[in-house]
Amino acid sequence: MRNAARGHDLVALRRLNTTVVLRALHRRSPQTLAGLAVTTGLSRPTVEAAVEELTDRSLVGEATEETGERTPGRPARRFRFRTEAGYVLGVDIGLHKMVLLLADLGGAFLATHRTEIDPGLGGGPRLDLLRHAIDAFVDEHAPSRAAVLARCVGVPGMVGGDGVVTTVVVPEWSGVDLGRLLAEDGPDRVLVENDVNLALLAERWQGAATLARDVVCVLTGHRVSCGLTIGGRLHRGRRGGAGELGMLPLLGLSTAQRALAWDGERLSGESEVAALARAADGADPRALAAVAGFADRLTPGIAALALAVDPELIVLTGGATPVGPHLLPLIEERLRPVTLHVPRIALSSLGERGVAIGAVRMALDQVEEDLLADTAS
Amino acid sequence: MRNAARGHDLVALRRLNTTVVLRALHRRSPQTLAGLAVTTGLSRPTVEAAVEELTDRSLVGEATEETGERTPGRPARRFRFRTEAGYVLGVDIGLHKMVLLLADLGGAFLATHRTEIDPGLGGGPRLDLLRHAIDAFVDEHAPSRAAVLARCVGVPGMVGGDGVVTTVVVPEWSGVDLGRLLAEDGPDRVLVENDVNLALLAERWQGAATLARDVVCVLTGHRVSCGLTIGGRLHRGRRGGAGELGMLPLLGLSTAQRALAWDGERLSGESEVAALARAADGADPRALAAVAGFADRLTPGIAALALAVDPELIVLTGGATPVGPHLLPLIEERLRPVTLHVPRIALSSLGERGVAIGAVRMALDQVEEDLLADTAS
DNA sequence: GCGGTTATGAAAGTGTCCTACCGAATTCAG
DNA sequence: CTGAATTCGGTAGGACACTTTCATAACCGC
């Protein structure tokens, strides 16, 4: 990564300072030259040179809109990071659905698209579907294909450091380097990541885990799986298997979902979990018992994870989110006797687009690293 | 830590390059100016200036010993990092014993001392004992007290980010900021850390975990506790509680030690575990059953930890090390059905001084950060 | 002792950053 | 509408660090 053993000459110094200026503008826009000089600690002429170079590289532009406030003295030119200098695409492809999300470099969402997928669709056609959907979506909403600097795809299953997927959800994708296949479609960066990990990134970006650095995310769905960030960075483990506590029968995570089975009345179009949540909201004793049973089976796994990494926060997301308000206190109560300090537990606030949002975040991280990591310290 | 938002001027550049040169010399000594120029990518005059400044600061000296090899041309001056520019002290204070270890900045051990401690000794007298032992040890073996740049003390119990200890081994130390108390004795850096974490650092430095970045360390003793490194860095958790899986009765770690009870014949001075190991070596069926029972109780906790962080390596250390050769295959066998990829499992190779060695390593890390982290990128 | 080889030392050259100064543009007071 | 005050923009001069280049010094092998 950063080669700390190399010295720097003067052109490296200039590149370094240019990057510092770009980073300052990325953090906050617009800014005046004088303001940049203060925040970066550089002199105004130096900042001016850096801004000029960045303008040549189309990464920075002059802000034209009126500032509104009236200050004495000659008005300062204001420069801003050009969020339209590039775009990233986040994709969530699960068993039943696919979500696409386009964002600019400022992290603003520009377009989104959702498709149902036949759960029985095999690996090959599924990949074709994904590729065509991406192409069509980009062609329709992005200025050009070249403007998309990175794509990130969230898949249900483990992703090793070599990019190879291991999944039981789409068996034909196991052992496949999905990223490499997708990279054939364009010259941009392509990333593939486990869906829980992306949901976690999303929560840390815009959801319930803002500012928290050590976070555990528990995804409840057709299976229960977990992801974690340590020190603000995703921890994948040796082969992407970190958080896969479902493997250990003793902890009961693999069978937890069964507790949520619900044969009560369902409104039209209402999912099973939603019906259960509605019944629980109405204090239906059978529904409350079902939620309690779910908490019983969920807690040992969560406790093991909490004790293993001692996180600041645990985020619950996925299919069981609707019953969350009933579930959280129960888990907390069961966690109390077995943990020295019960971590804060929160419910996801991002809903169905969580994974796609996290994919956008990861793609943005990659692009920012490419753009802003010239520091080379 | 590193303030990436600040720009750099030329004096910062010079400081940066000086640090790069120091780091190169720290990595390998001695080196010639020309060699340093190659490894750092700087020109020879620049390296020369940096070496001159470092010599003034007494961090670098000219190597005087004969090189032995005869090369044509004018012989080059060779410079080396002055390992005697400072010293660090590592301490392991457990319930029954205290180990002190003095090392220079090159990591060479200069002196060691071991004392038995009455397990009933309270917190106050125990702290006095520690302070006096440190002072006497330093006075005897270090050139001066001021030459000791950092001390690190390993204690049995959790250490929060604020330095406050939580321990059941020495109850009076719970809630106490031990580091602050010890810091009163001198102007040097004082660190306090959980003993398992230090044992893990030691294994990563000189033991079984060299080069591995994600490692779990399981300390077996009067209690079983665990530590972990993620990406090569210790992970402590929100309040130093990471790895404390003993809290979860379901996993059985808290009662594991009982399985090692052994009432068989003991040689004079032989510990219970050593006698058990000897009996197991002799294929005594009762001894083998005891070890198997220990493996049974140890495995669920190890499995939970392994699934949670998916480490490259698990290191077993502590009191049960003597039966390790019998234990390891049993744990591996029990781990196989519940983990997708069984991590490598290794036995500690550092013995009783492991924690003290880790304390030295942590103190060295601190000093090196102070010395070498001027990069300020 | 002499040539070959390599390191050392000092100079000139290039590039970057900073400070300082002056002109330019706008606001505000009268 | 005019002038003072204020702040920004542009440019020149100086300081500093790194690199390149060349001459000199020290040592080896013949």
Side-chain angles (χ1 to χ4, degrees), chain A residues 9-10 33 44-45 48 72-77:
Chain A
D9 59 3
L10 290 94
L33 291 181
R44 196 182 46 72
E48 194 172 358
R74 174 173 177 171
R77 301 161 69 191

Side-chain angles (χ1 to χ4, degrees), chain B residues 10 13-14 17 41-43 45-46 70-71 73-75:
Chain B
L10 290 96
L13 179 61
R14 196 173 69 80
N17 283 338
L42 296 166
S43 71
T46 303
R70 316 187 75 76
T71 55
R74 176 174 174 170

Side-chain angles (χ1 to χ4, degrees), chain A residues 42-124:
Chain A
L42 296 166
S43 73
R44 196 182 46 72
T46 303
V47 171
E48 194 172 358
V51 165
E52 188 173 354
E53 183 191 324
L54 291 169
T55 304
D56 288 346
R57 285 167 55 188
S58 298
L59 289 172
V60 165
E62 195 162 349
T64 54
E65 71 277 13
E66 286 298 321
T67 170
E69 57 192 34
R70 313 186 75 77
T71 55
R74 174 173 177 171
R77 301 161 69 191
R78 296 184 331 287
F79 297 90
R80 64 179 187 87
F81 179 77
R82 291 189 67 233
T83 55
E84 69 274 26
Y87 301 85
V88 299
L89 180 67
V91 181
D92 169 19
I93 182 157
L95 184 61
H96 297 85
K97 68 173 200 296
M98 172 168 60
V99 179
L100 301 157
L101 188 56
L102 184 73
D104 66 20
L105 288 189
F109 301 140
L110 303 177
T112 182
H113 178 71
R114 187 204 141 105
T115 319
E116 299 286 333
I117 303 180
D118 172 11
L121 194 67

